[in-house]
Amino acid sequence: MKKDLGVLQAVYPMPVLMVAAYDKNEKVNVMNAAWGQICDEDKIILFIGKGKKTYLNIAETGAFTVSLADEKHMDAADFFGMASGNKIDDKFERTGYHAVKSDKVNAPVIEEFPVAMECELLEFLHSDYVDGVVGKIVNVKADENVLAQGGKTVDPEKLRALTFDTFGSGYYVSGEKVGKAWNAGAALLKK
């Protein structure tokens, strides 16, 4: 029997996305955004409030990167979610992390995070209930040590990406393969 829990953010797992953008002076800001998702083959949507420093930076520059946080960098990823770039001017610098300018878009690539999507701003979505940033993914960069054999895609077991637990505010690591997509349910198609 199921028990009523009331209104909860009951989607698990949530991604731990590091969204980075420059301001008009090319100062780096990074935020931790769990509310984001791929929304087409080459598009991503991030649900970021209008007043966030990263949102303001994206509006100024028209570009951003989205990196996947991993277990090895959990402390900085969590800090990027706790600290506001509107209140802490040296937010990025405090971590000791390094950024290089993307060669595809006007945005920083954070070197410590192993996978980064380089994105151009397509549009801002605004309604009474949600604010969104939609970007076109123009390229993905990945550290060689997280690539699958053959080097053409990322290996989730090597990546050890963080996921966010909305129920208990915990971080977990993803990576264990338990089945093959578009195959695990194939037998049910034959019924």
Side-chain angles (χ1 to χ4, degrees):
M1 174 185 275
K2 289 184 174 55
K3 179 181 176 182
D4 288 341
L5 298 178
V7 177
L8 295 174
Q9 299 170 3
V11 173
Y12 173 83
M14 296 290 285
V16 180
L17 305 173
M18 300 292 102
V19 184
Y22 289 126
D23 68 9
K24 63 185 173 193
N25 300 314
E26 293 199 347
K27 182 170 177 57
V28 176
N29 190 66
V30 183
M31 73 175 291
N32 181 328
W35 297 348
Q37 188 55 262
I38 297 297
C39 58
D40 198 351
E41 287 185 16
D42 64 347
K43 293 173 190 67
I44 189 166
I45 187 164
L46 306 167
F47 299 101
I48 302 173
K50 288 183 190 180
K52 301 284 187 189
K53 179 68 173 158
T54 303
Y55 179 100
L56 298 171
N57 288 355
I58 293 169
E60 283 182 345
T61 63
F64 58 97
T65 60
V66 180
S67 296
L68 304 179
D70 62 336
E71 179 182 27
K72 189 172 166 185
H73 302 99
M74 180 175 56
D75 57 347
D78 192 50
F79 170 74
F80 288 139
M82 295 167 42
S84 168
N86 286 324
K87 296 178 181 173
I88 300 175
D89 189 55
D90 66 341
K91 177 180 172 179
F92 180 70
E93 292 80 5
R94 284 187 189 193
T95 64
Y97 279 22
H98 306 89
V100 295
K101 188 168 189 165
S102 165
D103 59 346
K104 309 287 189 215
V105 299
N106 183 23
V109 175
I110 310 308
E111 296 216 304
E112 285 74 12
F113 296 117
V115 177
M117 292 169 269
E118 297 163 295
C119 304
E120 295 173 345
L121 174 64
L122 288 176
E123 68 178 317
F124 289 107
L125 301 176
H126 303 291
S127 77
D128 291 341
Y129 306 104
V130 70
D131 291 310
V133 177
V134 180
K136 177 179 177 66
I137 302 165
V138 298
N139 188 50
V140 175
K141 289 187 180 342
D143 291 345
E144 289 185 17
N145 65 347
V146 299
L147 296 179
Q149 190 171 4
K152 295 189 184 214
T153 189
V154 174
D155 181 336
E157 291 181 21
K158 292 178 181 176
L159 178 60
R160 299 193 51 80
L162 290 180
T163 62
F164 179 64
D165 157 29
T166 58
F167 299 110
S169 297
Y171 291 115
Y172 291 81
V173 174
S174 69
E176 179 185 358
K177 186 173 184 177
V178 296
K180 179 103 173 113
W182 297 282
N183 182 278
L188 295 171
L189 288 173
K190 298 175 185 175
K191 281 190 166 190

